[in-house]
Amino acid sequence: MFEKVLIANRGEIALRIHRACREMGIRTVAVHSTADDNAMHVRLADESVCIGPPPARDSYLNIPAILSAAAITGADAIHPGLGFLAESADFAAMVEEHGFTFIGPSAEHIRLMGDKVTAKRAAVALGIPVVPGSAGGVADAAAAAEAAAQIGYPVLVKAAGGGGGRGMRVARNLEELEIAVPQAQGEAKAFFGNGEVYLERYLGKPRHIEVQILADGQGGVIHLGERDCSLQRKHQKILEETPSPALNVAERQQLLTTATDAMRKLGYKSAGTIEFLYQDGAFFFIEMNTRLQVEHPISEMVSGIDIVREQIRIADGAPLGYRQEEVRLAGHAIECRINAENPETFAPSPGCVSSYHVPGGLGVRVDSALYQGYTVPPQYDSLVAKLVVHGTSRNECLMRLRRALEEYVIGGIETTIPLHQRLVAAADFINGDYDIHWLERFLTRR
Ligand code: MV4
């Protein structure tokens, strides 16, 4: 097993990885920017290395600085966490070329899934249902028009290099398509340096449901159930839950076995998530995330399996510690993403945390790098805490979540806790009756 792991990240996820390492007897190296001198991930790590100034491109995205930090501290492996370099195939390859182990999938699988056109082609080959659409990219509006005539309107123009909704345009007819294609190409080129776009039938009211996979690259593949991530605003997830209130037993089984079988066929290794849109009883592959995800704790809460520990064991060459028959998914779990933002305008609210009280008790988990007296820097993501609650039933989980939200005190900065309190009191949410557009409509009410 590794003796020392460098964690190439910050905040709550760096802490999460540190905790898994500690429990495994692995020493940790934190890296940090000068904005994070006093960060909790630096304080808890066995060693730390400053890798640059506050802008992420000069520090948390600075590959030479990170590799140098690993070399001088004698780390065996590098965990990229999420965001930053976690889905950079080039980084994964360079880590290995420099003699360290990358705690994640192969650079080839990261690259395959990073391009949405090649990912979709792979999904088809693996027997995963995809949204009907163009066969690969479309070169221009004329080619798009031909594809759209086959698919039927409305269609969605998507960026091959994309994700997160950038370079996406809905077209309801030919006239709109002729505008949408060059617009999407321009935006895609500007954001991803890749102007390639493709077409899909536009689903008007889907849910976003994803499957958590763990695979050892030796034939061992398990799922840890699905997560419903439909509650989002501007492509930022706000609250996630498992199991999805939308699926019946047969649909769930079909979804989970399809995803698991596909990853076995692919020879995938590490943790991964397959994202689907679900509408009118059918599910369609949209993307695969080849990394640990923010919302992984809800899958841990219902399965009792430490996903980060399994990632580390797998990277070390060990077979999966579990067979599917040994995985028991019990009860219900919900995660509230708590951001340092105004709960109505979503304006960032960095600053000093003047008072801090964390909820606890049965079934309550808080993943956060906050502490009283800490100053949330303005340079990074506004996620400051994840409140994760488990209950034997969805109703018990909701009752516990309301109680935990009441207990949580984060003083001195604005947070989205009041938004979550409104959300858990909303009838549609209580009934599990929501799609990917529900939250944005809810936010315009009142
Ligand atoms: C879609 C869709 C409707 N139809 N594809 C948005 C981000 C990207 N990763 C996939 N996205 C969507 N793809 C088809 N064919 C609607 C969305 C979408 C969405 C998906 C998941 C979660 C939130 C979303 C919000 C708006 C649009």
Side-chain angles (χ1 to χ4, degrees):
M1 182 46 71
F2 310 124
E3 286 182 10
K4 198 186 272 193
V5 167
L6 182 140
I7 301 164
N9 218 294
R10 65 180 302 282
E12 65 84 19
I13 202 68
L15 222 54
R16 169 69 189 86
I17 297 159
H18 166 82
R19 286 172 172 151
C21 290
R22 261 300 156 101
E23 291 176 12
M24 298 173 81
I26 300 169
R27 279 173 293 145
T28 59
V29 180
V31 293
H32 66 94
S33 73
T34 52
D36 279 339
D37 288 339
N38 297 314
M40 193 55 121
H41 79 278
V42 176
R43 294 188 174 191
L44 285 189
D46 294 297
E47 291 170 78
S48 66
V49 180
C50 181
I51 51 167
R57 90 187 77 84
D58 301 321
S59 48
Y60 297 104
L61 293 171
N62 184 343
I63 295 176
I66 292 166
L67 294 176
S68 302
I72 60 172
T73 55
D76 307 304
I78 299 181
H79 196 306
L82 48 86
F84 298 126
L85 296 167
E87 285 177 289
S88 164
D90 292 343
F91 179 62
M94 286 171 79
V95 166
E96 297 278 337
E97 279 159 21
H98 284 76
F100 309 108
T101 300
F102 181 74
I103 302 177
S106 70
E108 290 69 33
H109 283 152
I110 297 174
R111 192 165 284 119
L112 177 71
M113 295 303 173
D115 181 299
K116 306 309 164 198
V117 168
T118 59
K120 193 172 175 180
R121 201 170 288 139
V124 172
L126 293 167
I128 312 178
V130 300
V131 191
S134 58
V138 291
D140 52 28
E146 225 174 284
Q150 292 290 311
I151 300 161
Y153 290 94
V155 296
L156 189 60
V157 186
K158 289 183 161 183
R166 295 276 183 201
M168 232 172 59
R169 288 282 186 290
V170 184
R172 296 184 187 280
N173 50 51
L174 178 59
E175 194 188 346
E176 286 183 11
L177 187 65
E178 282 171 347
I179 301 163
V181 169
Q183 272 185 348
Q185 286 172 325
E187 199 173 309
K189 182 82 190 131
F191 272 97
F192 314 115
N194 171 9
E196 190 183 14
V197 299
Y198 63 106
L199 254 55
E200 277 183 357
R201 182 158 67 79
Y202 177 66
L203 304 175
K205 47 176 181 54
R207 299 177 75 117
H208 171 141
I209 299 177
E210 60 187 29
V211 178
Q212 176 67 57
I213 295 290
L214 277 172
D216 60 17
Q218 309 171 36
V221 182
I222 60 171
H223 68 75
L224 301 182
E226 83 282 8
R227 296 185 287 256
D228 197 318
C229 305
S230 302
L231 292 174
Q232 56 84 41
R233 174 187 172 271
K234 298 192 172 175
H235 302 287
Q236 298 292 318
K237 294 168 188 165
I238 300 290
L239 178 155
E240 306 94 350
E241 63 177 313
T242 185
S244 169
L247 298 185
N248 64 40
V249 171
E251 289 170 329
R252 173 171 300 112
Q253 197 51 46
Q254 173 74 17
L255 174 70
L256 298 174
T257 55
T258 299
T260 309
D261 292 347
M263 289 304 106
R264 191 172 296 110
K265 237 193 239 179
L266 181 63
Y268 190 75
K269 180 176 175 176
S270 194
T273 301
I274 311 182
E275 295 187 351
F276 295 89
L277 294 180
Y278 171 84
Q279 185 174 297
D280 304 323
F283 52 84
F284 308 93
F285 170 92
I286 46 169
E287 295 177 16
M288 176 168 182
N289 300 318
T290 54
R291 59 160 194 280
L292 183 66
Q293 289 197 272
V294 172
E295 60 271 29
H296 79 276
I298 58 173
S299 303
E300 296 184 324
M301 294 293 260
V302 295
S303 69
I305 293 175
D306 183 330
I307 294 172
V308 179
R309 181 168 72 203
E310 288 306 308
Q311 264 190 316
I312 296 168
R313 291 182 63 260
I314 290 165
D316 190 45
L320 262 181
Y322 305 86
R323 283 171 304 160
Q324 192 68 58
E325 311 83 73
E326 296 169 316
V327 179
R328 207 173 68 88
L329 302 174
H332 200 94
I334 299 179
E335 169 179 279
C336 291
R337 296 194 186 195
I338 297 170
N339 291 345
E341 290 171 356
N342 178 290
E344 302 204 349
T345 66
F346 298 94
S349 178
C352 182
V353 177
S354 55
S355 57
Y356 193 59
H357 176 81
V358 193
L362 180 62
V364 176
R365 163 177 172 181
V366 176
D367 279 21
S368 175
L370 291 183
Y371 58 88
Q372 189 171 342
Y374 173 66
T375 297
V376 178
Q379 287 89 359
Y380 309 109
D381 194 277
S382 63
L383 180 79
V384 291
K386 304 189 303 203
L387 174 58
V388 190
V389 173
H390 180 260
T392 54
S393 65
R394 188 169 187 267
N395 190 46
E396 185 182 81
C397 185
L398 281 175
M399 294 193 298
R400 190 163 281 158
L401 176 56
R402 290 191 193 101
R403 183 272 290 174
L405 283 166
E406 266 173 36
E407 262 181 52
Y408 210 160
V409 178
I410 305 176
I413 59 171
E414 293 186 293
T415 76
T416 50
I417 291 174
L419 163 67
H420 287 293
Q421 288 176 314
R422 276 181 64 203
L423 195 48
V424 296
D428 287 344
F429 175 65
I430 292 168
N431 295 328
D433 186 12
Y434 56 85
D435 63 24
I436 61 169
H437 303 295
W438 182 87
L439 182 65
E440 293 190 21
R441 264 178 268 128
F442 174 74
L443 292 171
T444 65
R445 285 189 219 163
R446 203 180 63 159

